[in-house]
Amino acid sequence: MANVTFKQNQTTTVGDLPQVGESLPSFSLVGTDLSEITLADFAGKRVVLNIFPSLDTGVCAQSVREFNSRSASLDNTVVLCVSHDLPFAHGRFCAAEGIENVVSGSAFRSSFGEDFGLTLEGSPLQGLLARSVIIADENGQVTYTELVDEITDSPDVDAAVAALS
């Protein structure tokens, strides 16, 4: 379990992020068109997981916008934005914001949060996903992780993009 804060109040996650050098856990998410999204869909590509509590917060929305902007110039890389928001909310947000360079996936009916150690415990956000970024190389090996200490803070997008260089 990892320690994080929400508005400076201590809380925990159900486990720990995958570690650098480990294989990225397989996953199943729901796309905006209600199709299944799995790790196998991105075989041979680098995968950036931008994980957050909800698109309905400014920090989460901004991270999706920032990764969308940056991902256009990343070769052989897919950015997957993940939360427990319903696929319909992901679709509305992406359409309204002109988000076209990332894949949006909902973990609302999967064990994604538990498998990645990111489901929040003991805070008003209990059950949602902790803000984090995980990158895996073309072979599915984790090469970078960031668990944001304070859930209301942004991830370090510059560091994530630099890790892809």
Side-chain angles (χ1 to χ4, degrees), residues 1-2 22 32 51-53 67 73 112 115 128 138 140 153 155 161 165:
M1 117 178 30
E22 293 180 353
T32 58
I51 305 161
F52 48 87
F67 273 108
S73 63
F112 181 93
D115 297 342
L128 297 179
E138 297 88 342
D153 290 344
V161 171
S165 300

Side-chain angles (χ1 to χ4, degrees), residues 115-134:
D115 297 342
F116 283 76
L118 291 171
T119 300
L120 291 165
E121 299 180 311
S123 79
L125 299 181
Q126 182 174 346
L128 297 179
L129 301 174
R131 187 178 317 285
S132 54
V133 176
I134 303 170

Side-chain angles (χ1 to χ4, degrees), residues 129-148:
L129 301 174
R131 187 178 317 285
S132 54
V133 176
I134 303 170
I135 299 176
D137 67 14
E138 297 88 342
N139 301 310
Q141 298 298 303
V142 175
T143 60
Y144 174 89
T145 63
E146 176 192 12
L147 176 62
V148 179

Side-chain angles (χ1 to χ4, degrees), residues 34-105:
L34 300 179
S35 65
E36 182 180 29
I37 299 170
T38 68
L39 179 58
D41 295 335
F42 309 114
K45 292 186 179 272
R46 298 183 298 179
V47 176
V48 177
L49 296 171
N50 173 36
I51 305 161
F52 48 87
S54 175
L55 287 165
D56 288 326
T57 69
V59 175
C60 299
Q62 183 56 37
S63 75
V64 174
R65 289 184 201 105
E66 186 67 25
F67 273 108
N68 183 66
S69 172
R70 302 278 191 102
S71 67
S73 63
L74 300 174
D75 292 330
N76 197 38
T77 303
V78 62
V79 176
L80 181 56
C81 296
V82 181
S83 73
H84 274 288
D85 293 298
L86 291 176
F88 313 112
H90 278 272
R92 276 192 306 273
F93 176 82
C94 290
E97 296 285 333
I99 304 295
E100 297 178 345
N101 300 320
V102 300
V103 176
S104 194

